[in-house]
Amino acid sequence: MLALAGMLALTAACGSGENAEEESAGTGLASEYPDSSITRLGKYDGVEVAAISTEVTDEEIQAEIDNLLASFPDSVPIEDKTIVEDGDIVNIDFIGRLDGEAFEGGSSGEGGFDLEIGSGSFIDGFEEGLIGKEVGNTFDLPLTFPDPYTPNPDLAGQEVVFEVTVNGIVEHVTPEWDDAFAQEYTGYETTAAYEEALRASLQQQKEANAASQKEYDVMQAIIDDSEFECSEEDLQALRESRAQQYETYASYYGVDLDTFLLGVLQITREEFDQQADFELKSRLAMDAIAKAENITVSEEEYQEELQALADNSGAESAEAYEEEVGRDAIENSLLYDKIIEFVTSRAVEI
């Protein structure tokens, strides 16, 4: 569904065409890719897709609660353990200083910080420097931040000193799911109130995901029943355009594109590039459907959408927003919406 999220807001269909290449030219949806074409438009009215359940089960509710409980464990001191070893969870207070001055983000804050030795949560040398230390001791850890250091480039390569106090060695115990926990960590007065709100939230998420999945499945079915001639040049142009877009997203996380795709979107670069094939064929198919069904955007519809987009973006006026984004892009987006609403509303769930 990544391709849909990146470019589509589809809607359209009715019938099938045997010679769609001739009819599909000229709507503008695929005009950026003149070397590719749809040679036969398959069935797009009454496409069959698998029904998707949006039921929220008790097991899913419990899994969410279990994850919440695991996020806020109780720290129980291990009374007979006083020397820190690898693998221990230690509660520490620490203050990081650069040139003698505490730096932002370098202190533990009130209540200390639970750190698992060996987890790799802190910069190299910090966790290792705690091994062998005794509970109650305060000591200095002179360390050097790595270079580069994406979370805070100002600290990259800097020599700092952490003043650390080992408050205790603890074990994490899953807390009880009761009203007291709910009040402290969820903002709800009772577990029942939280569970009711959680069920409603999960229901909303499932319905939104099901709608997106249905859009994707409908377009995939149309593509599978159609025939195309896609040029490698057009596909490569799409891959490069998408890569540039998602490299911007990756930069927000301070990682490269491949790391972002695997860590955030959980897909490989190869899978990401394959989405270009789906996107190009979707554009061509929608182009043909719009022609076959005479689906267009009226001036009234365009002006309403333009004003809504301008209001949502905080633009000073509709005219300013149009100048920034471009009329063609806005019209195509609205046309995508109309086409996908058309084909999905006529699809048959089985």
Side-chain angles (χ1 to χ4, degrees):
M1 292 189 289
L2 181 62
L4 281 175
M7 84 110 195
L8 302 178
L10 325 160
T11 314
C14 196
S16 64
E18 285 298 317
N19 193 14
E21 180 179 9
E22 205 173 287
E23 296 192 5
S24 66
T27 66
L29 298 181
S31 59
E32 296 176 59
Y33 307 101
D35 296 328
S36 300
S37 61
I38 178 169
T39 56
R40 187 183 67 82
L41 176 61
K43 179 178 180 180
Y44 59 88
D45 187 5
V47 170
E48 293 185 346
V49 293
I52 302 170
S53 172
T54 58
E55 176 191 3
V56 178
T57 66
D58 292 341
E59 290 76 15
E60 289 170 327
I61 294 292
Q62 188 59 53
E64 292 289 331
I65 292 171
D66 290 343
N67 287 337
L68 178 63
L69 292 171
S71 299
F72 299 99
D74 291 331
S75 294
V76 180
I78 303 176
E79 301 294 348
D80 57 352
K81 188 171 178 59
T82 59
I83 303 297
V84 178
E85 297 178 316
D86 192 16
D88 285 343
I89 300 173
V90 293
N91 181 270
I92 57 175
D93 287 317
F94 61 89
I95 300 174
R97 294 187 174 90
L98 173 63
D99 296 329
E101 298 292 332
F103 57 86
E104 185 176 355
S107 300
S108 55
E110 187 178 350
F113 183 87
D114 284 357
L115 172 64
E116 181 179 353
I117 306 300
S119 65
S121 305
F122 282 29
I123 62 173
D124 288 348
F126 191 101
E127 295 169 32
E128 297 86 343
L130 271 61
I131 296 174
K133 296 297 190 293
E134 188 173 358
V135 171
N137 280 4
T138 298
F139 51 92
D140 287 344
L141 273 182
L143 299 172
T144 302
F145 272 90
D147 189 3
Y149 183 62
T150 353
N152 187 346
D154 292 339
L155 291 174
Q158 296 285 354
E159 294 182 357
V160 298
V161 175
F162 286 95
E163 179 186 309
V164 184
T165 299
V166 179
N167 300 320
I169 301 171
V170 302
E171 61 178 334
H172 282 172
V173 178
T174 302
E176 291 294 322
W177 176 237
D178 53 24
D179 291 348
F181 181 93
Q183 290 165 15
E184 184 171 359
Y185 295 107
T186 74
Y188 290 87
E189 288 299 312
T190 65
T191 57
Y194 174 76
E195 289 173 24
E196 181 181 357
L198 176 61
R199 188 177 295 274
S201 175
L202 291 178
Q203 183 74 46
Q204 187 177 35
Q205 291 175 31
K206 281 199 164 192
E207 289 172 357
N209 290 341
S212 295
Q213 184 66 52
K214 183 178 180 180
E215 291 175 5
Y216 178 87
D217 291 345
V218 168
M219 282 310 304
Q220 188 64 66
I222 294 170
I223 288 170
D224 290 343
D225 196 41
S226 302
E227 295 175 4
F228 303 85
E229 291 182 357
C230 298
S231 78
E232 183 56 35
E233 290 78 8
D234 287 343
L235 287 169
Q236 186 59 30
L238 256 176
R239 293 186 195 111
E240 291 174 358
S241 174
R242 290 168 55 74
Q244 186 176 24
Q245 176 187 5
Y246 281 87
E247 279 171 355
T248 301
Y249 300 154
S251 69
Y252 299 152
Y253 289 80
V255 297
D256 60 23
L257 178 58
D258 289 347
T259 304
F260 174 80
L261 293 175
L262 281 173
V264 179
L265 301 182
Q266 298 181 340
I267 60 172
T268 65
R269 180 60 179 269
E270 183 180 2
E271 291 170 325
F272 177 78
D273 286 342
Q274 287 171 354
Q275 292 292 335
D277 181 76
F278 173 85
E279 181 174 337
L280 180 55
K281 289 177 179 178
S282 294
R283 287 176 181 260
L284 294 167
M286 287 190 296
D287 206 47
I289 292 168
K291 291 283 291 183
E293 294 299 326
N294 194 28
I295 298 173
T296 60
V297 176
S298 70
E299 184 62 24
E300 182 181 359
E301 289 173 324
Y302 174 78
Q303 292 299 332
E304 288 180 0
E305 178 70 3
L306 174 62
Q307 189 61 58
L309 290 169
D311 292 342
N312 290 336
S313 70
E316 62 181 53
S317 68
E319 292 76 13
Y321 184 86
E322 183 181 53
E323 184 176 352
E324 179 183 357
V325 177
R327 180 175 179 119
D328 287 347
I330 298 169
E331 271 190 339
N332 283 344
S333 176
L334 189 52
L335 188 55
Y336 289 148
D337 287 338
K338 295 186 74 172
I339 296 171
I340 197 60
E341 195 281 328
F342 187 86
V343 291
T344 54
S345 66
R346 291 170 179 259
V348 179
E349 295 184 343
I350 57 175

